[in-house]
Amino acid sequence: MSPRTSPEPVHALKERRDGHLSRLVGSMPYAAFLGIEFDRRGDELTAVLPFKDMLIGDPMVPALHGGVTASFLETAAIVELSWSILWPEMESGTGGDVGPRLPKTIDFTIDYLRSGLPRDAYARARVVRSGRRFASVHVEAWQDNRARLFAQATGHFLMPADPRDDPGHV
Amino acid sequence: MSDAQLQIQIARQFIEAIPFARAVGMTIESVGGGHAVITMPFDERLVGDPRRGVLHGGVISALMDTCGGAAVMSHPVGPSTAATLDLRIDYMRAAKAGAAIRAEAECYHVTRSVAFIRATATDGEDGPPVAAATGAFTMTVRPSAEKKEGAA
């Protein structure tokens, strides 16, 4: 009779998951430039964009730059999709050590619902469909009230090649 | 100074007053008649995927959005405000690592309150552009400008 393997201690589990997430986000210099952070609850991610003056696009209103909003949503979508690819490998302990392989954006459509206020913004992305080659991701962003979105977007992505399909990969 | 030069100077000051446009180094090359050209230098901090050394799609989107907005503001009807309603970006290929990006936008149709734009982004290489965009902006026209337009 083999001894039952005890579950991974909670602190080790959190450290491992947070480590993978921070390596993933840390692999994008532009996310750091904007100051985007990710809040994790289990596998659920919320992208957070803390406000800073640099993010302003219209000093008169003042409002966040539309391009900042687009960048924030696209980053949230890419990280969510990469995270969803990484998760099963990470949990089974078979992968996640080759470094993040990022999907490539094919197209991205942003719907500006109201102007972004000069305060923190949040975004949550949902992988609507994920196949071997393509994925479709929807993302919603809000500020003070979760139900009052200020922007939403849909993007199509080319999935990263699986390194296990590449014999040359170490 | 000619009207065209004055218009470029006003547009340049307008863009330079935008904190985010300054942060990423956007420069107006030309603007007028519903057409705008804005460039942005390569910057390591704006990279999205270091493995490929390519700029993040979001910063290209920001450049196209700003360029589209400048094209709307320079339309002959004389808009006094413009805000993006929607923007669709097609990423055709990765921008060459280290290359500056040049966006060109055209405001090809306006109604009383909406302006439509199309834009492309290039990196100085031959072949297809790096990205293409289409968008709609809400806009308001100064009452005096609108009256003048209506009287013509």
Side-chain angles (χ1 to χ4, degrees), chain B residues 4 15 40 49 90 98 146:
Chain B
I15 297 293
M40 183 180 70
D49 187 350
D90 294 325
E146 198 171 36

Side-chain angles (χ1 to χ4, degrees), chain A residues 10-87:
Chain A
V10 69
H11 65 88
L13 185 75
K14 281 187 178 173
E15 205 175 286
R16 185 165 57 82
R17 290 175 179 171
D18 288 337
H20 279 289
L21 180 60
S22 75
R23 272 195 296 283
L24 171 59
V25 178
S27 73
M28 267 182 264
Y30 187 55
F33 177 75
L34 294 175
I36 300 173
E37 299 161 2
F38 282 82
D39 181 31
R40 186 186 66 78
R41 294 285 179 271
D43 71 343
E44 184 193 65
L45 302 181
T46 306
V48 181
L49 178 68
F51 177 73
K52 48 184 176 177
D53 288 337
M54 184 195 94
L55 306 178
I56 289 288
D58 189 336
M60 305 306 281
V61 178
L64 291 180
H65 194 291
V68 167
T69 301
S71 303
F72 178 48
L73 294 183
E74 193 177 326
T75 303
I78 291 173
V79 169
E80 180 67 39
L81 183 56
S82 305
W83 181 244
S84 74
I85 299 167
L86 197 62
W87 182 269

Side-chain angles (χ1 to χ4, degrees), chain B residues 91-110:
Chain B
Y91 296 102
M92 267 98 89
R93 62 179 176 85
K96 192 182 152 209
I101 305 294
R102 178 181 192 273
E104 199 168 339
E106 178 202 6
C107 174
Y108 65 92
H109 184 70
V110 294

Side-chain angles (χ1 to χ4, degrees), chain A residues 27-28 74 106 108 110 112, chain B residues 48 50-51 66 85 87 89 91:
Chain A
S27 73
M28 267 182 264
E74 193 177 326
I106 299 166
F108 202 69
I110 313 118
Y112 295 95
Chain B
R51 285 193 178 201
T66 307
L85 203 53
L87 194 68
I89 323 268
Y91 296 102

